[in-house]
Amino acid sequence: MSYCSSMFQPMQHVIVKHPKQAFISQEHLSKQWKVFNYVEEPNLEEAISEYHNFLHILEQHVPHVEFLPQSSSVGLDSLYAHDPVKFTHAGAILLKSGKKARQPEVEVYREFLIERGIPIIGELQGDAVADGGDLVWLDDRTLAVGLGYRTNAEAIQQLKEMTAPYVDEFIVVQLPHDRGVEECLHLMSLISIVDHDLAVVYSPLMPVFFRNLLIERGFRLLEVTKEEYERLGSNVLALAPRICLVVAGNPLIKQQLVDAGATVFEYKGEEISYKGTGGPTCLTCPVVRINN
């Protein structure tokens, strides 16, 4: 079995977390949304409705969708299934979030993966912290990793060693301070790869060397405006090459994708995406993508 080392190949197996299990109750949301630095308190009933539509699109394209269980040790952000683990060709690497409130999530993944016989090839140790949202496969042998408030230098060194058998080029991308320590800025906040030669980007926060590297590698860059960046417009999930899922309310980048030959699906994401600052890529943890 070869696991996921792509951001855009056809998704075959994905792990998700339902808002019923992440948000639990409206009372729980009322107590916790500020702790997890949400923009506003989500409405649970609306979140479930939005997630139903999101899931409907996902299940139309992904044969195997699995749900993480509820756990009393994890919080609201467990809805964003992408961050506690990252897959390589050979299996999973267990991460440790740079957001301390999210660190217990990794134990749920450990049990989940072991139960299903999915190999765990490594785990961050000591002071190393990293989020899955900072790890981006440019192709199946090239891994870019964001160095910022959620992923530190120690984690990058450990990840470089763990992925050495599977990666020909390991690229460190320094992230800006932007809005500070408490805000969630990942490398994937700035780039979504939707085909081998097509990426959605927010260039104002992107290092020049990295933007130039993408162009040199043959990527066409679709530029997100500041207004649509604020609405998670740069967070685009590729279900397969040029088959994209986006948060509704970003018409400019949607049209750019359509003009580039992509099929674009939308879901309303006020409660499950915007308020927690996590788009469709954040809501999914791809286990297997099949190379065409």
Side-chain angles (χ1 to χ4, degrees):
M1 167 66 75
S2 180
Y3 295 92
C4 183
S5 57
S6 170
M7 308 303 295
F8 65 87
Q9 295 288 11
M11 199 183 296
Q12 300 294 308
H13 182 183
V14 65
I15 297 170
V16 295
K17 182 74 170 280
H18 198 285
K20 288 180 181 178
Q21 276 67 54
F23 291 170
I24 303 174
S25 69
Q26 195 63 52
E27 181 183 8
H28 187 71
L29 278 169
S30 296
K31 293 177 180 177
Q32 293 292 315
W33 71 272
K34 290 183 180 178
V35 175
F36 283 87
N37 205 33
Y38 277 50
V39 175
E40 297 176 33
E41 179 182 340
N43 178 284
L44 179 58
E45 185 176 336
E46 286 295 317
I48 291 170
S49 175
E50 289 181 359
Y51 199 80
H52 175 79
N53 294 330
F54 168 81
L55 195 61
H56 177 70
I57 299 167
L58 195 65
E59 290 178 333
Q60 285 182 316
H61 294 88
V62 183
H64 192 189
V65 179
E66 282 200 279
F67 291 88
L68 285 166
Q70 184 175 316
S71 172
S72 60
S73 65
V74 302
L76 310 187
D77 278 352
S78 63
L79 181 69
Y80 304 120
H82 197 94
D83 286 321
V85 64
K86 195 71 173 185
F87 280 86
T88 70
H89 302 276
I93 296 174
L94 297 178
L95 306 175
K96 182 169 67 173
S97 179
K99 187 175 183 178
K100 288 186 178 180
R102 297 200 65 182
Q103 290 179 0
E105 292 177 37
V106 73
E107 295 305 321
V108 177
Y109 276 82
R110 186 197 312 278
E111 294 177 14
F112 188 86
L113 297 175
I114 290 172
E115 285 175 2
R116 282 149 184 78
I118 297 173
I120 297 169
I121 66 165
E123 180 175 2
L124 294 181
Q125 304 292 329
D127 295 330
V129 293
D131 282 358
D134 277 328
L135 282 69
V136 175
W137 291 101
L138 300 188
D139 59 46
D140 65 355
R141 299 290 301 185
T142 305
L143 184 62
V145 183
L147 172 61
Y149 289 124
R150 295 297 182 88
T151 297
N152 65 12
E154 178 58 31
I156 284 175
Q157 183 57 42
Q158 292 184 26
L159 288 166
K160 189 172 184 178
E161 293 169 2
M162 288 180 211
T163 60
Y166 323 111
V167 170
D168 295 329
E169 190 171 2
F170 189 101
I171 301 164
V172 179
V173 182
Q174 293 205 17
L175 298 178
H177 170 77
D178 193 30
R179 296 174 184 171
V181 178
E182 297 303 321
E183 292 294 323
C184 181
L185 181 71
H186 287 140
L187 181 57
M188 284 171 54
S189 303
L190 312 179
I191 179 171
S192 295
I193 296 176
V194 298
D195 203 345
H196 73 281
D197 59 354
L198 187 66
V200 174
V201 300
Y202 184 59
S203 290
L205 293 181
M206 184 174 285
V208 171
F209 97 89
F210 187 57
R211 190 176 184 280
N212 285 342
L213 180 148
L214 294 170
I215 294 169
E216 290 165 4
R217 286 173 175 258
F219 281 97
R220 177 185 172 189
L221 305 183
L222 305 183
E223 301 282 353
V224 175
T225 64
K226 184 178 188 299
E227 291 74 21
E228 292 198 355
Y229 172 74
E230 300 289 345
R231 298 292 302 176
L232 307 180
S234 55
N235 193 302
V236 180
L237 176 65
L239 300 166
R242 296 186 196 231
I243 299 179
C244 304
L245 183 54
V246 302
V247 182
N250 293 296
L252 298 179
I253 196 60
K254 178 184 178 183
Q255 190 60 52
Q256 285 191 65
L257 284 162
V258 170
D259 291 345
T263 301
V264 183
F265 297 92
E266 294 178 292
Y267 70 100
K268 183 182 178 185
E270 290 297 309
E271 311 301 319
I272 61 174
S273 287
Y274 175 68
K275 289 183 179 179
T277 323
T281 53
C282 307
L283 289 166
T284 56
C285 177
V287 180
V288 178
R289 287 183 182 266
I290 302 298
N291 291 343
N292 286 333

